[in-house]
Amino acid sequence: MKNFRPFITIIILVSTFLFTGEIKSEIKDVVLINSYHPTFMWTRELTEGVVNTLSESEGYRISIEYMDTKRFYNEAHLEAVKEYFKIKYSPLNVDGIICSDNHAFEFFLKYGNEIWGDKPMVFCGVNNIRDFAIDSSKYKGIAEDIDIAGTLEIIMSLQPNLEELIVVSDSSLTGLLFMDQFKRTITKFPDLKYSAIHAVSATQLGHELSNYAPKNRAIYILSLYIPREGATRDMIEEAAFLQSCLDIPIYGNWNFLFGDFIIGGYIINGRDQGVGAAGIMRSILNGQLEDIPFLAPTPQQIIIDYNQLKRHNLDASKLPESTLFINKPIGYFEKNKSEISIIGSVLAFLMLVILVLTRIIALKNKAESNLKKSESRLELALEGANIGLWDVDFRFNDVYTNNGIAELLGYKKPADLNYSLKEWQSIFHPQDINQIEEAFVMHAQDISPAFNGEVRLKTSSGDYKWFALHGRLTHKENNKPVRMVGILMNIHFQKEFEEQLQLAKEKAEESDRLKSAFLANMSHEIRTPMNAILGFSDILLYDQANREEFLNYLGMIRKSGESLLNLINDIIDISKIESGQIKLKPETFDLHNLLDNVALVAQTLIKSKKKDITLVIKKELSQKELIINADPFRVEQVLYNLLNNAIKFTASGIVELSYEIQQPDMLTFRVSDSGRGIAPNDHAIIFERFRQAPNGSNDNSGGTGLGLAISKSLVHLMGGKIYVESDIDQGATFTFHIPFKPETASLKTFAQKHNL
Ligand code: ADP
């Protein structure tokens, strides 16, 4: 920093020089020559007007001079002033001179050129300016015309009953000029009676005024300088004196007369004159001389002292609106005008804010109520449609659910389902998670326009139910999902229905397939005996046969016929059962006898098939007869079907038929064999129509697949149940129960045996 000091000093010096030089070249020297003295209010105010207008900051330098001629006027004095000015201003190149009032103006006209050279001059306060023959293109100024006519009108308005106007003036130049002007003006007011007083001393003035009765009188002071002790006294100095001797309203045109003295009138003041003259000087120094008129009008205004007005009981409302009042008591409002206007503005602003806020709140309330309405409409619509609404925020793993979702999942309220996103995933059926994740990814990557899926969700009871999910991502950030909104619908019944439809379809297809298989079997079953019948008939018709052969062939034909008849009976039975046409015909019969018959048929069958099968019939009771009441034909039919199958599916071994009475009215039959058996998976299907165990038809065992279906239907018809116990190569045991009515004898035996 130290190293920079000389450098900085140089910069400061150079800039100071430049700066000072610039200012110097712009300074404008103006001399204000006042006719009067600085303590004279008119002059003081006029000076202030000039100084404030041509301010130093604008580059004006004002030299102020007071010739003090109001108090001290003589030619020698003026000569001395001239000499003094000549000496004083010789080194200065003055730019312009402002002259206030007549003496200064006349002084300048006489000596100005000699003192300052040919310089622009502006005048003000010169009463009779129009009487001077001066170069109006060079010298400009402000008129000092007092509005005597205007003031007389004010006097007459305030005092309509005025009987006499007392006009007072003095011996000063101003006083004499204004008295002349008054006398010219008063001719325009022929009804106004007046008397003029030329004031030479306060005593004389006081004495003369005391001659007037104050009632309906007014005093108009044009000028009031009274010589005293070698100098004139200021007008205002006489005011107290005059005020003390009379009680007559006083009017005047000079602002310095205010102050417990005059009421007012068209008032002119020194400040306005000074400001106006300085403004003209500024324009001249700015080079606008040609644009400036010779004489600017006198700035003046009606000003009234409110205190004086009240003192003389004069009515302020008679005055023009433009009247400016001084000393007017200020009302609370006017006194605190600025505060009140600030508070008012603040209040108005607050009111405006309140109004705006009220409007905003009203609009907001309306929007909220509309929103609520629309929300409740939506909620009602969703509720009516049994649809739940969900809203997921992925940033916070937050899931919103409405009442509908809770209801759909069997909960009372949404709070019961206060799950995070992860927890929600746990209620999805494990088999559906992949599918739903795939749907979400497809939507998140804009491959699919919406998120759709059908999933099973765990309900409050722990069961899974089917639901449809439809949603859409409403907001993404950096291509990451932020928010997704959607609905949840219960499609469980629809799904179940679809499943049932599918099952029904599959069943129909199966049934169709079975029917085809049945037809194929049927044709086989019909063709085989038919071929036998036709073949043996042909032999009998066309070939020679001995009696034994003849009988044998006829037997074959009969057997085939029987076989056909059985088949047809089966078909008729199943269709009758299906159409509900079969009626049970219970009768009293001997069960042992029935079993013997069945055994005989079975034995014949074994023989005819030439199978090495031992048939065992187990009768529970040893007596010859067991009389019961049931439908013997249907019992026999079932037993025969079961024995027929047992023999059919047993190559060799044992076929056993047994029964037992488990309760007094329940018979249980069992047909078991040691044949090829049935896989447990096929246990149910073999009781269905046209169904055969898979290897059933492959071993040429034939059959229609109707036997067990008929047996099951008959057992059910009789009020019982049928089932099988078997496995591959383990043989098979078919069991069925039927209710029955034991006959007394048999029952007795039965009861004895079972200690009942
Ligand atoms: P069909 O015997 O005319 O085929 P069924 O309804 O009587 O018709 O029997 C249906 C199927 O049940 C049979 O085709 C066979 O596959 C199986 N089945 C029935 N009884 C037995 C048995 N005792 N041993 C093995 N399989 C059997």
Side-chain angles (χ1 to χ4, degrees), residues 2-17:
K2 223 174 176 182
N3 298 339
F4 288 104
R5 254 185 211 155
F7 181 64
I8 291 168
T9 314
I10 288 167
I11 289 178
I12 292 169
L13 283 173
V14 169
S15 54
T16 310
F17 171 77

Side-chain angles (χ1 to χ4, degrees), residues 645 648-649 673 676 678 686 691-693 703-705 707-708 734:
N645 281 347
K648 189 159 53 168
F649 298 110
D673 63 60
R676 70 178 198 199
I678 308 156
I686 55 171
R691 299 294 294 261
Q692 294 178 317
T704 56
L708 285 178
F734 284 86

Side-chain angles (χ1 to χ4, degrees), residues 521 525 570 641-650 671-673 675-678 682 685-688 690-697 701-711 724 726 731-734:
N521 276 350
E525 290 294 307
D570 272 0
N641 273 344
L642 297 179
L643 283 169
N644 189 29
N645 281 347
I647 294 161
K648 189 159 53 168
F649 298 110
T650 306
V671 177
S672 55
D673 63 60
R676 70 178 198 199
I678 308 156
D682 297 330
I685 63 161
I686 55 171
F687 288 99
E688 291 177 20
F690 310 120
R691 299 294 294 261
Q692 294 178 317
N695 54 358
S697 53
S701 51
T704 56
L706 287 172
L708 285 178
I710 292 169
S711 302
V724 64
S726 177
T733 300
F734 284 86

Side-chain angles (χ1 to χ4, degrees), residues 435-436 438-440 443 448-454 468-472:
Q435 176 238 115
I436 209 73
E438 206 172 295
F440 176 72
H443 177 49
S448 63
F451 164 70
N452 297 314
E454 290 182 351
L469 275 169
H470 300 287
R472 186 163 288 186

